[in-house]
Amino acid sequence: MISIKEIAAKLGVSIATVSSVLNGKEKERRINAALADKIKRFALESGYHPNQVAVSLRTGKSRIIGLIVDNISGAFFASLANTIEKELEKYGYTVLYCSTGNNESKVETLIRILFQHNVDGYLVIPAAGMEEQLSELTSRKRPVVLMDSYFPDTKLPYVLVNNYEGTAAGIKHLIKAGCRNIAFVCNDISLVQMAERRRGFVETMISAKMQVGEDSILATPYMGEKGQVVRSIAAYLKKKRPDAVMFAANYLGVYGLEAIKKLGWTIPSDIGVVCFDDHELFQINTPEITAVKQPVEDIAQLAVKILMGEMGIEKKVTEQQVEIMGKLIRRKSV
DNA sequence: GGCTGAATGAGTGAAGCCAA
DNA sequence: TTGGCTTCACTCATTCAGCC
C-alpha cells in the first residue's frame, strides 16, 4: 500500500500538492493540469487508497455508520441491515454492525467501541437500558436514529411500524373470520413496541366486545431457549383451547407453528393463526400464514434519510418521529 | 499562478528530567 | 538506580497561509 507521502517523493512534489489533486481540488488550489493528471495517473497505477485512520484523524469523520441491533440473525434485522447498507452506500458510507443480544453490559461496551472508532452516526434498534448511553452520544453531537422502537422519555428521532394498528388489523381479521376465543402470544421485553402490540390486542378485543382475561395473553421470556418457549406455547394453547391465536413477533410465529404441530392441531380448522411481522417460512408453510408485514425497506430508507439530515449531508427531515403503517397479508391460516 | 511548509488531529513510545 | 512525571517526536492526510 502506497501512501500520499511516497507518491509525493516519487514525483518530486509536496504532499500538499498530491493531497489537493487526489481530493479534486486542483483547480481551487491552482495546480497545473498536466501535473494533476500525472499525479492522478500515478496514484491509480500504484493502487493508492487513502489511509482511513489518518483521514478520520484529520477530518474527524470516519464515513462509517454504527448499526446496533439486538440480534443480527433475525429475519427482520437482517432485512433491515441489508437495505440500510445499500442506502448508506449511495452516500459513500459503510456500516459497522453490532449485535447486543439484549445484554446491558454489552450495549455499553459496543457503544464505547463505536465511539472510539469515531463513527459518524448511529442507527439503533433499542434494547433495554440504552437510554443513558444514547443520550450521552447526542450530547456529544453524535447523531442517533432509532428504529423498530423508541424511548418515550427521550426526544431521539425514530422510525418504526405502527405496532398498535398492525396488531389491531390482525385481530380484526380474526374476528371478521368468526373467531371468538382469541389468544395473544408475545414476549416479556420491556420496550414500547411490544407494549403497543399488546395494547392493540386488548383494546381491539374490548371495542369488539370480546372477552379478554389474564389468560388471553401469554408473555414468553424474550431470550428464552427455543425448546422451552415452544413447550410453554403448546402448554398454554392446550389449556386455553383458543379458536385463534396471534403471535406478536415472527420468531414467536415460527415457534408457535412448531407448538401447534406438536399438539397435532390443523390450521385453520382447529386454530386460526395470524402473526405480527412476516417471515419466509410463512409463505412456504402449509397452509400459508397470514401476517402483518412490516415496511422494512421504508423504515430503513427513512431512518438513513433522517440520519443524513442530522449529519448535514441531506436536507434535514422535518418529521423526525415517524410511524409507518404495516400491511396485513391475507393468506390461508384463518 | 503554481506550488510548498507547517500546523493540526489523537494516541503512543522514547527520551529527558528530577527527587528519593 | 529507580520511579514518576513531562515533553517531544512520530504516524498520515488535510488545509491554510505564504513564498517565488
Side-chain angles (χ1 to χ4, degrees):
Chain A
M1 286 286 278
I2 193 164
S3 68
I4 203 168
K5 190 176 172 184
E6 289 168 308
I7 295 176
K10 293 264 185 192
L11 298 178
V13 294
S14 73
I15 293 168
T17 303
V18 177
S19 174
S20 298
V21 171
L22 297 180
N23 285 290
K25 292 180 179 173
E26 66 262 37
K27 282 183 185 163
E28 188 186 316
R29 303 275 159 80
R30 299 173 304 191
I31 290 163
N32 183 284
L35 178 60
D37 280 346
K38 190 177 168 187
I39 291 170
K40 283 179 190 169
R41 221 177 315 117
F42 186 82
L44 189 68
E45 285 165 6
S46 51
Y48 169 76
H49 289 287
N51 180 322
Q52 287 306 323
V53 176
V55 174
S56 174
L57 187 62
R58 181 66 184 92
T59 62
K61 305 281 179 192
S62 61
R63 301 201 77 79
I64 295 172
I65 299 298
L67 174 60
I68 303 175
V69 303
D70 178 11
N71 179 0
I72 197 72
S73 64
F76 170 73
F77 299 138
S79 173
L80 195 72
N82 186 37
T83 308
I84 285 170
E85 193 167 0
K86 283 180 192 161
E87 287 299 306
L88 286 175
E89 209 177 314
K90 292 178 191 170
Y91 295 97
Y93 279 80
T94 50
V95 187
L96 202 54
Y97 298 95
C98 292
S99 185
T100 63
N102 204 36
N103 177 327
E104 277 191 45
S105 64
K106 198 174 173 191
V107 165
E108 196 178 341
T109 307
L110 289 174
I111 290 178
R112 193 181 67 242
I113 290 170
L114 289 175
F115 186 80
Q116 285 170 340
H117 278 75
N118 201 27
V119 302
D120 295 343
Y122 297 77
L123 289 168
V124 181
I125 291 182
M130 243 186 198
E131 296 102 309
E132 207 177 305
Q133 284 101 333
L134 294 181
S135 297
E136 198 183 328
L137 284 178
T138 50
S139 70
R140 289 174 178 241
K141 310 285 179 205
R142 302 295 167 120
V144 176
V145 177
L146 306 179
M147 297 171 296
D148 192 43
S149 187
Y150 63 93
F151 298 113
D153 296 337
T154 70
K155 288 182 179 175
L156 292 169
Y158 62 76
V159 186
L160 67 153
V161 67
N162 189 314
N163 290 287
Y164 179 92
E165 291 297 341
T167 307
I171 297 299
K172 282 177 189 168
H173 180 63
L174 289 171
I175 294 170
K176 200 174 170 187
C179 302
R180 292 295 173 264
N181 181 17
I182 302 171
F184 189 71
V185 176
C186 57
N187 62 38
D188 60 1
I189 195 167
S190 60
L191 286 170
V192 75
Q193 80 270 36
M194 200 49 72
E196 280 295 283
R197 289 175 203 179
R198 203 171 164 136
R199 188 171 72 86
F201 166 67
V202 173
E203 290 186 5
T204 308
M205 291 288 280
I206 290 170
S207 66
K209 299 189 171 32
M210 308 283 285
Q211 257 198 334
V212 197
E214 277 195 10
D215 70 336
S216 299
I217 298 174
L218 171 69
T220 61
Y222 177 56
M223 294 300 278
E225 187 261 323
K226 184 190 169 187
Q228 202 177 347
V229 176
V230 170
R231 281 193 295 278
S232 73
I233 294 173
Y236 167 72
L237 294 177
K238 192 176 176 183
K239 188 178 174 192
K240 180 167 171 64
R241 282 277 173 182
D243 53 12
V245 58
M246 180 164 187
F247 295 102
N250 60 9
Y251 84 92
L252 286 172
V254 174
Y255 292 1
L257 292 180
E258 202 172 318
I260 290 167
K261 194 179 169 189
K262 266 180 187 281
L263 292 167
W265 295 358
T266 308
I267 302 171
S269 56
D270 293 326
I271 187 166
V273 175
V274 171
C275 189
F276 194 101
D277 199 6
D278 205 4
H279 193 285
E280 282 178 354
L281 281 177
F282 298 162
Q283 296 168 50
I284 57 173
N285 188 72
T286 308
E288 295 167 39
I289 306 298
T290 295
V292 178
K293 189 177 168 62
Q294 293 210 57
V296 181
E297 288 195 0
D298 293 345
I299 291 173
Q301 284 169 353
L302 188 53
V304 169
K305 199 170 178 186
I306 292 174
L307 186 69
M308 290 296 122
E310 291 298 290
M311 288 163 58
I313 309 277
E314 266 266 13
K315 193 180 163 192
K316 196 161 181 164
V317 178
T318 328
E319 203 180 341
Q320 300 234 322
Q321 299 184 328
V322 184
E323 292 192 20
I324 303 174
M325 295 305 286
K327 188 180 177 189
L328 182 71
I329 310 289
R330 292 176 177 83
R331 298 198 180 102
K332 294 171 181 168
S333 60
V334 180

